């Protein structure tokens, strides 16, 4: 059901009450008296354990998630659509299956997915204004979530067509950062990140076409995994955003992110990319061994002169020192990015143009989207094919860091800046928005061009309490090594002990 439809109040086993009324408060609506708000939900693995041990029920967890979503919607605005009635019915069915002795990795656990992902019965707005028909069927990733037993409670906000590292738009307003609601949680998976950071759901799916999982993970103190291209199906799209975009998990711990990755990984029969399977959850319990880690401060050429903010540099330096203390060899290095941006821009803008062309009311699109549509139309055909053909050479040139120089992992800041304030990008032209984005987020997107995996890990906080992150990047199909290293860092730094003040 959509977020504009009311739901009936039901008591939960945790003693809280789901508030009645819409999940998204309508402008001018008289607020109801506040109902008790449940505590933040436990993590994914812990929720699954409690359900298997019968110390809670799926109905209780789902009802608590719905109540917490509604209570925070006026401030965080993390969700575009809720499935309140359907999710509660699915939770009751999960409880029956659990009582009968059935066990699945996520049976009865509430999760959320980004609103670029088809969920049967809900429209896929992908951050856009206007009306869309409900999806006739689940995407492959959602089908796999359901097969693992998860209960999808709703769809989280994304900026328009996933273009920007902020989650704001005329269609839904601004999604805000649980650590400081004057700031963005990042984008384009900002709704998923805000929902997980605030404990509205144990974990959520996002998508990453230029850092859109890793950037909001960095700015909300989460683990975010951008897997190898093809690891998680993007079907019904066969090659989303010209191969740049992949789906990936956001969670508070490495184990939770790995569990979600295992649950949704796998190809649809029509998918182009089919990497061999990994066992992410096993990797999260494995010692990574002693690794050679390259620390890179210089981002690829963006013509902005961007470098890391001093507070970002301080946090990532401290993380590098931790890696050295844990026994790894950490050395500054410079990946040979070359002019990789010349391959990224055609692929990104053609991808935007392909999605924008499907919009039934193009006049409702942001002027910056329409500008990208025009650029993408010009760069289609021969230009984008040439950009994609360069990928093999880019693999060799940048891959020399691993193959020739002998490094196992590349460590960089995830972003050059802490999370910007809400409205920072308002009223900017398309060009000025692109320049501001490139200056704030110059590090993540090359790995989308390459199709290789990366993991954001929390790197700490600025002096004003804003989260920042670092990314562990690897060569092709290296998720297990990155996950094992991230888990070792987590064991030492215990970042999951810190929660936002929402």
């Amino acid at each position: 059901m959509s977020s504009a439809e009311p739901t009936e109040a039901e008591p939960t086993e945790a003693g809280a009450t789901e508030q009645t009324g819409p999940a998204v408060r309508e402008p001018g609506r008289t607020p109801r008296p506040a109902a008790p708000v449940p505590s933040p939900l436990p993590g994914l693995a812990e929720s699954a354990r409690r359900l298997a041990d019968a110390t809670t029920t799926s109905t209780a967890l789902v009802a608590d998630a719905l109540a917490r979503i509604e209570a925070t919607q006026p401030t965080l605005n993390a969700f575009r659509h809720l499935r309140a009635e359907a999710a509660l019915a699915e939770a009751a069915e999960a409880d029956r299956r659990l009582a009968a002795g059935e066990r699945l990795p996520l049976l009865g656990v509430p999760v959320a997915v980004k609103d670029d992902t088809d969920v049967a019965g809900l429209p896929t707005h992908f951050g856009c204004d206007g009306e869309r028909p409900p999806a006739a069927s689940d995407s492959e990733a959602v089908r796999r979530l359901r097969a693992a037993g998860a209960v999808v409670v709703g769809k989280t906000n994304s900026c328009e067509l996933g273009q920007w590292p902020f989650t704001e738009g005329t269609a839904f307003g601004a999604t805000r950062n649980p650590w400081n609601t004057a700031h963005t949680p990042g984008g384009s998976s900002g709704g998923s990140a805000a929902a997980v950071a605030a404990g509205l759901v144990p974990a959520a799916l996002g998508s990453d076409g230029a850092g859109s999982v890793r950037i909001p993970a960095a700015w909300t103190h989460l683990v975010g995994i951008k897997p190898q291209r093809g690891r998680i199906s993007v079907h019904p799209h066969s090659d989303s955003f010209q191969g740049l975009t992949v789906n990936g998990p956001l969670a508070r711990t490495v184990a939770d992110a790995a569990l979600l990755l295992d649950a949704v990984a796998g190809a649809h029969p029509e998918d182009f990319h089919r990497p061999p399977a990994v066992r992410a959850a096993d990797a999260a319990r494995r010692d990574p061994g002693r690794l050679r880690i390259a620390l890179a401060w210089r981002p690829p050429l963006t013509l902005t002169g961007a470098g890391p903010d001093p507070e970002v540099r301080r946090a990532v330096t401290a993380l590098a020192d931790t890696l050295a203390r844990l026994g790894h060899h950490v050395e500054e290095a410079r990946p040979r990015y070359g002019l990789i941006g010349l391959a990224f821009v055609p692929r990104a803008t053609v991808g935007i143009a392909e999605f924008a062309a499907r919009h039934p009311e193009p006049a409702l699109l942001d002027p910056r989207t329409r500008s990208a549509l025009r650029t993408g139309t010009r760069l289609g055909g021969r230009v984008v094919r040439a950009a994609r053909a360069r990928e093999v050479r880019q693999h060799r040139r940048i891959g020399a860091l691993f193959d020739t120089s002998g490094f196992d992992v590349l460590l960089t800041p995830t972003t050059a800046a802490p999370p910007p304030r809400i409205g920072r990008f308002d009223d900017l032209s398309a060009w000025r928005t692109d320049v501001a984005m490139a200056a704030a987020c110059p590090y993540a997107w090359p790995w989308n061009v390459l199709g290789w995996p990366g993991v954001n890990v929390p790197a700490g906080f600025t002096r004003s309490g804003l989260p920042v992150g670092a990314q562990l990047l690897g060569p092709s199909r290296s998720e297990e090594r990155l996950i094992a290293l991230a888990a070792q860092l987590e064991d030492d730094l215990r970042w999951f002990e810190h929660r936002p003040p929402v």
Side-chain angles (χ1 to χ4, degrees):
M1 66 185 288
S2 88
S3 56
E5 298 175 46
T7 60
E8 294 298 323
E10 289 196 18
T12 75
E13 293 190 13
T17 302
E18 184 191 356
Q19 295 173 320
T20 58
V24 181
R25 184 176 298 162
E26 298 171 5
R29 186 183 180 95
T30 303
R32 296 180 304 277
V37 180
S39 299
L41 267 71
L44 202 68
E46 177 64 14
S47 295
R49 184 191 66 77
R50 293 184 191 182
L51 288 165
D53 292 347
T55 56
T56 190
T57 66
S58 180
T59 298
L61 288 176
V62 170
D64 282 358
L66 293 169
R68 194 164 172 80
I69 290 165
E70 182 170 353
T72 59
Q73 190 68 14
T75 49
L76 296 184
N77 188 26
F79 279 78
R80 184 75 182 261
H81 296 287
L82 284 185
R83 305 178 64 247
E85 185 177 335
L88 286 167
E90 290 167 13
E93 175 61 21
D95 286 332
R96 286 190 286 272
R97 294 165 68 185
L98 285 160
E102 185 175 353
R103 296 294 181 266
L104 292 169
L106 299 178
L107 184 55
V109 180
V111 297
V113 300
K114 183 177 175 180
D115 192 30
D116 63 345
T117 305
D118 284 353
V119 175
L122 293 181
T124 303
H125 282 105
F126 203 176
C128 297
D129 206 350
E131 296 299 319
R132 288 292 184 95
S137 59
D138 291 332
S139 67
E140 178 66 12
V142 171
R143 187 194 70 78
R144 289 177 178 270
L145 270 180
R146 293 191 196 275
V151 177
V152 178
V153 297
K155 301 181 73 173
T156 57
N157 276 325
S158 162
C159 64
E160 193 168 286
L161 303 184
Q163 302 166 79
W164 306 307
F166 53 90
T167 302
E168 302 165 43
T170 56
F172 59 87
T175 297
R176 295 176 180 270
N177 196 318
W179 293 93
N180 185 325
T181 55
H183 291 258
T184 181
S188 60
S189 305
S192 288
V196 176
L200 313 187
V201 288
L205 272 185
S207 61
D208 191 314
S212 287
V213 162
R214 290 163 289 157
I215 291 166
W219 285 347
T220 57
H221 197 66
L222 297 178
V223 176
I225 300 177
K226 175 216 172 297
Q228 177 77 21
R229 184 185 299 150
R231 177 76 59 216
I232 301 173
S233 177
V234 294
H235 191 269
H237 311 293
S238 57
D239 195 41
S240 187
F241 280 83
Q242 294 292 317
L244 296 177
T245 295
V246 299
N247 292 322
L250 290 132
R252 294 183 61 247
T253 69
V254 176
D256 284 354
L259 177 59
L260 186 57
L261 176 58
D262 281 342
V264 297
H268 183 276
E270 297 177 7
D271 285 347
F272 290 163
H273 310 287
R274 296 168 172 271
V278 295
R279 300 178 68 171
D282 288 348
R285 296 186 289 267
R286 186 184 309 150
D287 188 311
R290 187 175 184 271
L291 302 176
R292 293 192 72 228
I293 299 172
L295 171 60
W297 295 111
R298 176 174 289 185
L301 181 66
T302 59
L303 303 178
T304 65
D309 178 275
E311 295 208 75
V312 172
R313 189 175 185 109
R314 172 183 57 80
V316 177
T317 298
L319 194 83
D321 290 344
T322 299
L323 287 166
R325 177 170 54 78
L326 291 171
H328 304 289
H329 174 80
V330 182
E331 177 184 338
E332 290 196 20
R334 284 188 182 179
R336 294 176 54 227
Y337 291 114
L339 298 178
I340 193 170
L342 296 179
F344 173 76
V345 171
R347 294 171 70 169
T349 55
V350 168
I352 293 167
E354 290 169 344
F355 274 87
R358 304 184 189 118
H359 197 286
E361 301 176 85
L364 294 178
L365 294 171
D366 189 292
R368 294 170 290 189
T369 302
R370 297 199 297 271
S371 174
L373 189 160
R374 291 190 293 271
T375 301
T377 301
R378 289 194 298 270
L379 296 180
R382 194 177 346 180
V383 175
V384 76
R385 286 195 297 272
R388 297 201 66 168
R390 295 184 62 84
E391 190 176 305
V392 173
R393 280 174 286 176
Q394 289 157 348
H395 284 166
R396 287 198 297 266
R397 184 177 63 248
I398 299 173
L401 182 78
F402 308 106
D403 300 332
T404 304
S405 299
F407 289 104
D408 300 299
V409 174
L410 172 63
L411 170 68
T412 80
T414 302
T415 67
R421 294 184 71 85
I422 294 289
R424 161 70 178 83
F425 300 91
D426 286 357
D427 303 320
L428 295 183
S429 67
W431 170 251
R432 288 175 62 85
T433 299
D434 289 344
V435 170
M437 286 194 310
C441 302
Y443 291 103
W445 55 268
W447 249 243
N448 296 88
V449 175
L450 300 171
W452 293 349
V455 178
N456 175 80
V457 294
F461 299 87
T462 67
R463 290 177 177 85
S464 61
L466 294 172
V468 295
Q471 53 178 355
L472 308 172
L473 303 171
S476 180
R477 305 173 183 178
S478 59
E479 287 103 322
E480 291 189 0
R481 178 188 299 159
L482 300 178
I483 288 168
L485 181 60
Q488 184 187 49
L489 273 171
E490 179 178 85
D491 285 344
D492 187 83
L493 298 175
R494 301 186 67 80
W495 52 62
F496 53 84
E497 294 178 349
H498 302 282
R499 283 190 177 272
V502 171

